[in-house]
Amino acid sequence: MQGTWKPDPASQLPLHSQISSYFLAKISSGAWPPGMRLAPQRELCRMLGVNRSTVVTALGQLTALGLIEGRRGGGTVVVADARSAIRPAGESNVVTAPAEPERRGNWNDYVEEGIHYPNLPTVQDINRLEYEPGLIRLGTGEPAPELLPGAAMNRVLAGLSQRILPPLSYEEPLGNPALRAAVSRMLARSGIAADPASILITSGALQGLQLIALGLLPRGSSILLEKPSYLYSIHAFQSAGVKFSGLPMDGRGLIPELLTAEAVRSKAAMLYSIPSFHNPTGILMDAGRRRELMQVTGSLGLPILEDGAYQELWLDAPPPLPLKALDREGRVLHLGTLSKAASPGLRIGWIVGPEPVVRRLADIKMQSDYGASSLSQLAAASWLEGGYHEEHLQVLRSRLRERRDLMLELLQLHCAGLATWSVPAGGFYIWLSLLHPMPPRKLFTAALRAGLLLNTGDLYDRSDRGHLRLSYAYASPAELERGITLLANLIREVP
Amino acid sequence: MQGTWKPDPASQLPLHSQISSYFLAKISSGAWPPGMRLAPQRELCRMLGVNRSTVVTALGQLTALGLIEGRRGGGTVVVADARSAIRPAGESNVVTAPAEPERRGNWNDYVEEGIHYPNLPTVQDINRLEYEPGLIRLGTGEPAPELLPGAAMNRVLAGLSQRILPPLSYEEPLGNPALRAAVSRMLARSGIAADPASILITSGALQGLQLIALGLLPRGSSILLEKPSYLYSIHAFQSAGVKFSGLPMDGRGLIPELLTAEAVRSKAAMLYSIPSFHNPTGILMDAGRRRELMQVTGSLGLPILEDGAYQELWLDAPPPLPLKALDREGRVLHLGTLSKAASPGLRIGWIVGPEPVVRRLADIKMQSDYGASSLSQLAAASWLEGGYHEEHLQVLRSRLRERRDLMLELLQLHCAGLATWSVPAGGFYIWLSLLHPMPPRKLFTAALRAGLLLNTGDLYDRSDRGHLRLSYAYASPAELERGITLLANLIREVP
């Protein structure tokens, strides 16, 4: 039911007939197969822009045809396939129906049986609702469209269009050599010495996580990570049978003493950490902690997966050297991305690590999608080589600084007495601690009704009942003002 | 050891010292971690462009330092990490080595333990060797660079660079709406009615396969497929614990009677088929067979995964309607791609299927890489909407026709009496049947020494000893002439 079809009020056909015809066509083409659950009536009204009685009439017509059925406990399900459906005029019956087919269930079983976990329901809602206009997105982890490079990206494309382009063939397993060289130079500026043979280009840092989950960890192994963490909100590792062991943080980041005990107890195979401007808490691990962490994990022989997605986005002062820059043993894998600072839509990230490791991951990438888009890789190489990236970062930092400061002001104004919050030195996020816990799904739903899209704390720690990940990167200043006011009211009112 | 570093003969330093310094730096930075196996000496000589004694001297120096070790049975392995290595001048010891660290093995264990299977050794070799200049690629499944759109793609990019681009943000889970609309119109021309809500954009058709393997099939399920098949050469399904049940073909494609028995025996969950210009055999399933197949699988209630990667690339006459066009039950998932006809490097493909199925797959895609490159999706939408695609197909078909005819002529000239072959009506491939079987790895290696890169039949059917997948799409006409001559000599000579 995604898509934009709506009945036409100007048509001579009544709205309910238009709806039942549209649904009938979906069912008889197989696009809505038996077993598919229709959206709840309230949702259908919203999507179709009609009132409840129209939807009820249309569904009644389809029920009478034996195509759908109301289920006890609510919900309407498609029950017949095209064989029993009345075909829309003009379609011929190409397949002859055999007598009494032996049925093997329907797509519903398939959709539920695959090994990859679905996204959390709230994440699914967020992924869908982000494309509905009119909502204020208070938690979105990407820069607002107006913070993305517009004219500069046009210049990059114009440059590409005037060059004799290399044909857009498949790229080498590790990725486009010019891009790897550009990333290597960029990493050097952050203190990481990595030559192009140690760099694998991925389709965003997220794919890097999936490759590592599939390529380096056996089923049943476990990894240490900060709790809460972004990693809890995706299922790359859990779908690969990897368990999580969450570690507490203080204002300086992970606490090394607690790490050792948990590493031994859980027989951890790896530590995942976001040392700079942690997602979702915004915490910056300080230089002392980084050294301690390297030492402690060194004596455990514990590899580290360092997520550097936000490290360039410092707002007050550059962060300490990345863990990878402190690594002389090849024990750290480092993830980077252009999604947070430049353009999420390029889908360009990278993994830096020992050559045998990045080659293993490249081999899986070749089996997954045959490499990242060549066009994106060419554009990314021009973006980095042309100096656009550094220039854009300057502007982006100052815009983010303004928005961070505005959000902090607004929180002070509206949420004092309702919550406390972190003051991030970079990245996108403020971690809001509600003074009174509340059921996250209830808050999410109430917020949605008020026009707010929230990222509740349970996405990053299943048991969390008292936090929100706020982002100052996406909503406009005006939306921030309105959004934080609405949020304060909600926190006050939701029982 | 990928990459392009070679010692400099003009330097004052002897070649062996340059090599040992380079290796030392790799080892002490952790890029070459303990446990990593170096390439065999012969390979090192080739890669470094030096003779055997130079390599032996360099390795001897590193062995003396305790950094590498020769292993019984051949091979040299990195044994020490940076703690025991002599650091290159100018690098300081940032990490303090703790006394007697408790070691947890090394990356080698990790690289071997992940759940995703590695590519077959021959596929790994091919993926690497495709970027070595000078080899004639007789089996490559992509169009030659000169057959890819050059100027037209520049025009597409120039068009994009002059538009006010939408910011390159993340796209909707199903993919860019304009691209899905363009794909929907394109599919309509091949007889497939699918509206944009039934279409998921993927990073190439290969990713579509991976999403289906992860999203729709439980561990231990099995799928039917043609044998040989492209699907045997990748590990998306096997890595997800899915078993294969291979089915024989005749000149008209899959044999429906045999399918039923095997479907029942193996309790198959799905049939994978490439009905048009099958990879690797080139077989075109005729219209009668397609109808029978739909009927037989219909009475089994068996879903079909139709790979339509080659269906546009007909050379003699358009193929019969795709299976998806015969499907009124939503039982067929259809895969398509721009990689074979337009540009592999765009990494744009699609899955067409019932809405709940594509939404499930979209959800996994969001967890895998957050969607395909927006830039690629924008370029692909312009490419299709601007009519470039149809125009390019005309040219491509006529070039492929010439190359196919040339390859057939050359086979007649040089391989009559050594092999027989298929005469494909479209796609890229000629399936060569050797009259005398030979060990495929031996043939592959001998060919490589002669400057030929071959795709041996065992990639598509593990037990095969008598076939080659030849492609007329990649090698130039001059290379085809030289390549087929060399190939005939090899077949004659390899014992």
Side-chain angles (χ1 to χ4, degrees):
Chain A
M1 264 304 297
Q2 280 172 328
T4 50
W5 185 83
K6 281 183 169 48
D8 176 7
S11 156
Q12 291 192 316
L13 272 178
L15 294 176
H16 63 79
S17 305
Q18 294 182 52
I19 294 170
S20 56
S21 300
Y22 178 78
F23 283 23
L24 177 61
K26 286 282 191 182
I27 293 169
S28 59
S29 72
W32 293 3
M36 178 177 143
R37 188 173 289 273
L38 300 188
Q41 293 190 2
R42 188 165 52 191
E43 183 98 348
L44 288 176
C45 295
R46 199 178 57 81
M47 289 190 286
L48 298 167
V50 299
N51 62 34
R52 190 74 164 253
S53 67
T54 307
V55 163
V56 168
T57 307
L59 294 181
Q61 290 163 349
L62 296 165
T63 307
L65 290 169
L67 294 175
I68 61 172
E69 218 173 76
R71 283 288 154 87
R72 230 173 303 174
T76 307
V77 171
V78 177
V79 288
D81 65 23
R83 293 163 195 227
S84 48
I86 296 161
R87 281 165 210 291
E91 292 204 8
S92 70
N93 192 337
V94 180
V95 185
T96 316
E100 284 304 313
E102 227 189 88
R103 293 248 134 235
R104 197 186 295 273
N106 56 40
W107 282 114
N108 263 27
D109 304 327
Y110 287 81
V111 165
E112 282 161 18
E113 280 178 356
I115 57 176
H116 203 293
Y117 296 171
N119 260 312
L120 297 172
T122 303
V123 173
Q124 290 189 15
D125 289 343
I126 292 174
N127 284 343
R128 184 170 46 82
L129 292 165
E130 284 184 342
Y131 298 92
E132 299 227 345
L135 289 174
I136 298 180
R137 295 159 60 173
L138 278 189
T140 297
E142 61 182 274
E146 67 272 20
L147 300 186
L148 293 177
M153 199 54 78
N154 280 69
R155 283 203 298 280
V156 165
L157 292 181
L160 289 181
S161 74
Q162 281 152 27
R163 270 163 55 184
I164 296 181
L165 277 186
L168 299 176
S169 308
Y170 299 112
E171 298 282 348
E172 295 184 33
L174 289 177
N176 180 288
L179 176 56
R180 284 185 289 128
V183 169
S184 170
R185 284 189 289 274
M186 179 194 191
L187 288 167
R189 289 194 295 273
S190 72
I192 296 173
D195 72 27
S198 298
I199 297 171
L200 166 65
I201 302 299
T202 57
S203 303
L206 178 57
Q207 190 187 42
L209 293 172
Q210 209 194 28
L211 295 173
I212 289 164
L214 290 174
L216 299 180
L217 299 165
R219 285 192 165 269
S221 56
S222 79
I223 60 175
L224 301 176
L225 74 173
E226 289 118 358
K227 186 172 187 170
S229 174
Y230 163 68
L231 213 58
Y232 282 96
S233 72
I234 60 169
H235 287 146
F237 287 88
Q238 293 100 320
S239 294
V242 175
K243 286 171 294 195
F244 282 180
S245 250
L247 295 171
M249 288 175 280
D250 62 17
R252 299 174 52 205
L254 276 174
I255 305 164
E257 301 81 57
L258 300 179
L259 186 149
T260 308
E262 185 59 20
V264 171
R265 197 199 60 73
S266 67
K267 301 201 183 72
M270 195 176 272
L271 165 69
Y272 170 84
S273 176
I274 312 172
S276 292
F277 318 122
H278 178 260
N279 179 1
T281 64
I283 292 171
L284 174 65
M285 193 186 290
D286 68 27
R289 274 293 165 80
R290 290 177 193 227
R291 277 193 307 271
E292 285 176 66
L293 190 68
M294 288 303 291
Q295 218 158 11
V296 167
T297 54
S299 59
L300 292 163
L302 185 68
I304 296 177
L305 174 51
E306 175 182 41
D307 189 336
Y310 300 92
Q311 75 188 21
E312 297 177 304
L313 294 168
W314 52 268
L315 301 180
D316 298 330
L321 285 179
L323 301 174
K324 183 68 192 162
L326 308 178
D327 173 31
R328 283 288 173 283
E329 307 163 76
R331 197 159 46 75
V332 178
L333 305 180
H334 179 88
L335 293 180
T337 179
L338 288 182
S339 298
K340 299 301 172 185
S343 282
L346 284 177
R347 309 305 310 121
I348 292 294
W350 48 87
I351 302 175
V352 180
E355 294 181 23
V357 177
V358 299
R359 282 209 298 274
R360 161 72 169 144
L361 300 174
D363 181 64
I364 302 176
K365 179 156 173 61
M366 290 299 276
Q367 298 185 66
S368 305
D369 63 7
Y370 244 87
S373 156
S374 301
L375 187 53
S376 274
Q377 294 191 69
L378 287 172
S382 296
W383 174 256
L384 293 174
E385 285 166 2
Y388 296 105
H389 189 66
E390 285 303 316
E391 203 173 296
H392 176 68
L393 268 176
Q394 304 268 347
V395 180
L396 179 62
R397 283 193 197 112
S398 92
R399 292 286 141 71
L400 285 175
R401 210 175 285 130
E402 289 161 16
R403 287 176 186 224
R404 174 195 62 176
D405 296 347
L406 172 62
M407 191 180 249
L408 289 170
E409 241 175 73
L410 291 166
L411 286 171
Q412 195 56 52
L413 203 58
H414 300 291
C415 294
L418 298 172
T420 58
W421 51 87
S422 61
V423 177
F428 291 165
Y429 308 117
I430 290 176
W431 189 233
L432 192 77
S433 309
L434 304 176
L435 294 184
H436 302 290
M438 54 177 75
R441 189 68 194 177
K442 197 163 187 178
L443 182 58
F444 179 81
T445 313
L448 199 55
R449 271 199 297 271
L452 293 183
L453 195 54
L454 296 183
N455 288 45
T456 47
D458 59 321
L459 301 181
Y460 312 102
D461 170 1
R462 292 290 177 280
S463 63
D464 186 274
R465 296 290 172 273
H467 291 89
L468 291 175
R469 181 185 87 173
L470 297 179
S471 160
Y472 43 84
Y474 195 86
S476 68
E479 288 175 328
L480 285 181
E481 300 226 15
R482 188 168 151 67
I484 298 292
T485 317
L486 285 169
L487 178 65
N489 291 340
L490 273 173
I491 297 175
R492 223 174 263 118
E493 287 162 17
V494 171
Chain B
M1 262 305 294
Q2 280 172 327
T4 50
W5 185 86
K6 282 182 170 47
D8 176 9
S11 156
Q12 291 192 318
L13 273 179
L15 294 176
H16 63 81
S17 305
Q18 293 182 53
I19 294 171
S20 56
S21 301
Y22 178 77
F23 283 23
L24 176 62
K26 287 281 191 182
I27 293 169
S28 59
S29 72
W32 294 1
M36 179 177 142
R37 187 174 288 276
L38 300 187
Q41 292 190 4
R42 186 164 54 189
E43 183 98 349
L44 287 175
C45 296
R46 199 177 58 80
M47 291 190 287
L48 298 167
V50 299
N51 62 33
R52 190 75 163 250
S53 68
T54 306
V55 164
V56 169
T57 309
L59 295 180
Q61 291 163 348
L62 296 165
T63 307
L65 289 169
L67 294 174
I68 61 173
E69 217 173 76
R71 284 288 154 88
R72 230 172 304 174
T76 307
V77 171
V78 176
V79 288
D81 66 23
R83 294 162 195 227
S84 47
I86 295 161
R87 279 164 212 291
E91 293 204 7
S92 70
N93 191 336
V94 179
V95 185
T96 316
E100 285 304 313
E102 227 189 87
R103 293 249 134 234
R104 196 186 296 274
N106 56 39
W107 282 114
N108 263 27
D109 304 326
Y110 287 82
V111 166
E112 281 161 18
E113 279 178 355
I115 57 176
H116 203 295
Y117 296 171
N119 261 312
L120 297 171
T122 302
V123 173
Q124 290 189 16
D125 289 344
I126 291 174
N127 284 342
R128 184 170 45 83
L129 292 164
E130 284 184 342
Y131 299 92
E132 300 227 345
L135 288 174
I136 298 179
R137 295 159 59 173
L138 278 190
T140 296
E142 60 181 276
E146 66 272 19
L147 300 186
L148 293 177
M153 199 54 80
N154 280 68
R155 283 203 297 280
V156 165
L157 292 181
L160 289 182
S161 74
Q162 281 152 25
R163 268 162 57 183
I164 296 180
L165 276 186
L168 299 176
S169 308
Y170 299 113
E171 298 282 348
E172 296 184 32
L174 290 177
N176 180 289
L179 176 56
R180 285 185 289 128
V183 169
S184 170
R185 283 189 290 274
M186 179 195 194
L187 287 167
R189 289 195 294 274
S190 73
I192 296 174
D195 73 28
S198 297
I199 298 171
L200 166 67
I201 302 300
T202 57
S203 302
L206 178 58
Q207 190 187 43
L209 293 172
Q210 210 195 26
L211 294 174
I212 289 164
L214 290 175
L216 300 180
L217 299 166
R219 287 195 163 267
S221 57
S222 79
I223 60 174
L224 302 175
L225 75 172
E226 288 118 359
K227 187 172 186 171
S229 174
Y230 162 68
L231 213 59
Y232 281 96
S233 72
I234 60 169
H235 287 147
F237 286 88
Q238 292 100 320
S239 294
V242 175
K243 286 172 294 199
F244 282 180
S245 248
L247 295 170
M249 287 175 281
D250 62 18
R252 299 174 51 205
L254 276 174
I255 305 165
E257 301 81 58
L258 301 179
L259 186 149
T260 307
E262 186 58 21
V264 171
R265 197 198 62 72
S266 65
K267 301 204 184 71
M270 195 176 271
L271 165 69
Y272 170 85
S273 175
I274 312 172
S276 293
F277 319 122
H278 179 260
N279 180 0
T281 64
I283 292 172
L284 174 65
M285 192 186 293
D286 67 26
R289 274 292 165 81
R290 290 178 193 225
R291 277 194 306 270
E292 284 176 66
L293 190 68
M294 287 304 290
Q295 219 157 13
V296 167
T297 54
S299 59
L300 290 163
L302 185 69
I304 297 177
L305 174 51
E306 175 181 41
D307 188 337
Y310 299 92
Q311 73 186 24
E312 297 177 304
L313 294 168
W314 52 268
L315 301 180
D316 298 330
L321 284 179
L323 300 175
K324 184 66 192 164
L326 308 178
D327 174 30
R328 283 287 174 284
E329 305 164 76
R331 198 159 45 77
V332 178
L333 306 180
H334 179 87
L335 293 180
T337 179
L338 288 182
S339 298
K340 299 301 172 183
S343 282
L346 283 177
R347 310 306 308 122
I348 293 294
W350 48 85
I351 303 175
V352 181
E355 293 180 23
V357 177
V358 298
R359 282 209 297 273
R360 160 74 168 145
L361 300 174
D363 182 63
I364 303 176
K365 179 154 173 60
M366 289 299 276
Q367 298 185 66
S368 306
D369 63 8
Y370 245 90
S373 157
S374 301
L375 187 53
S376 274
Q377 293 192 69
L378 286 173
S382 297
W383 173 256
L384 292 175
E385 284 165 3
Y388 296 105
H389 188 65
E390 286 303 316
E391 205 174 296
H392 176 68
L393 268 177
Q394 305 268 347
V395 180
L396 179 62
R397 285 195 196 109
S398 91
R399 293 284 141 70
L400 285 175
R401 209 175 284 129
E402 289 161 18
R403 287 176 184 223
R404 174 196 61 178
D405 295 346
L406 172 63
M407 190 179 250
L408 289 171
E409 243 176 71
L410 291 165
L411 287 171
Q412 194 57 50
L413 202 61
H414 300 291
C415 294
L418 297 172
T420 58
W421 50 87
S422 61
V423 178
F428 291 165
Y429 308 117
I430 291 176
W431 189 235
L432 193 77
S433 309
L434 305 174
L435 294 185
H436 303 289
M438 55 179 72
R441 190 68 193 177
K442 198 164 187 178
L443 182 58
F444 178 82
T445 312
L448 199 55
R449 271 199 297 271
L452 293 182
L453 195 54
L454 296 183
N455 288 47
T456 46
D458 58 321
L459 300 181
Y460 313 102
D461 169 2
R462 292 290 176 281
S463 62
D464 187 275
R465 296 290 172 274
H467 292 89
L468 291 175
R469 181 185 86 173
L470 297 179
S471 161
Y472 43 83
Y474 196 85
S476 68
E479 287 176 329
L480 284 181
E481 300 224 18
R482 189 168 150 66
I484 298 290
T485 319
L486 284 168
L487 178 64
N489 291 340
L490 273 173
I491 298 175
R492 222 174 263 117
E493 285 162 18
V494 172

